[in-house]
Amino acid sequence: MSEKNREGKRTARERLAVEREKQKRAEKRRRGLIVGVTVIGVLGLAAVVGVIAANAGKDDGGEKAGPVVAPSGAQGKDSLAIPVGQEGARSTLTVWEDFRCPACKSFEQAYRPTIHELTDAGKLKVEYRLATIIDGNMGGSGSRQAANAAACAQDAGHFTAYHDVLYDQQPPETDDAFADSGRLIELAGEVEGLDTPAFRACVQDGTHDSWVDKSNQAFRTGGFTGTPTVLFQGKNIVQDRTMTPAKLKELVEQADQN
């Protein structure tokens, strides 16, 4: 391997580590705010009981009530995994991701070509699982809106291409641009055959919002600490400092030969 390639992979790993650390700090700040607000809330509880009663049932911007509609072809427990690749592949990669997450984009930039190569060759199956932690950390709804749109793309048979476009066009972490359904529909124009009336309705209606919420709940209760969480045969490779795209390919090739 050339020195240039080694340096590029090292840089990608370092960038990923920096983004994960930023995400952890944001989560710590969010928890601190929650504690402070809780104390204030207890002191003022008597004064706000009437307000709570008056606003009962209103949408607070959190999880969306309604039936859980899984996208076409979703698999696993509660149909929360979107599969890419051949079912008979001997290796499985599970990717927990958030479309607003900069560290997820860094992972994509480093590993995407290898993942595509291995799935196209029938040697690797990827299970994409969607989370919305940046919405919780930074505010907004872009994580959920983008995840719903990706599920709508899965219905149309264009998940992988649209998934890649969302990361290629990812806004800054503090910019909730993906909360705009018009922007998500505009990006669908970059995927041939995706921008249809059915896709537009799915995005605008939030058809899979409750499914996205359920997926995020599974992430929260799964004991994971951040996105991306990437499991190869159950082992978290993001935490493996020695992991590179070349090493992942080697592991998959070995499994395919056994």
Side-chain angles (χ1 to χ4, degrees), residues 128-175:
Y128 288 99
R129 296 175 177 267
L130 308 181
T132 61
I133 65 172
I134 303 300
D135 284 356
N137 290 346
M138 306 300 295
S141 61
S143 296
R144 184 173 70 181
Q145 300 280 70
N148 171 70
C152 295
Q154 169 68 10
D155 289 338
H158 294 291
F159 172 81
T160 300
Y162 189 64
H163 167 277
D164 293 352
V165 167
L166 288 175
Y167 280 116
D168 290 342
Q169 301 297 330
Q170 184 188 77
E173 186 178 18
T174 55
D175 182 354

Side-chain angles (χ1 to χ4, degrees), residues 38 40 100 172 179:
T38 300
I40 295 172
R100 286 182 71 186

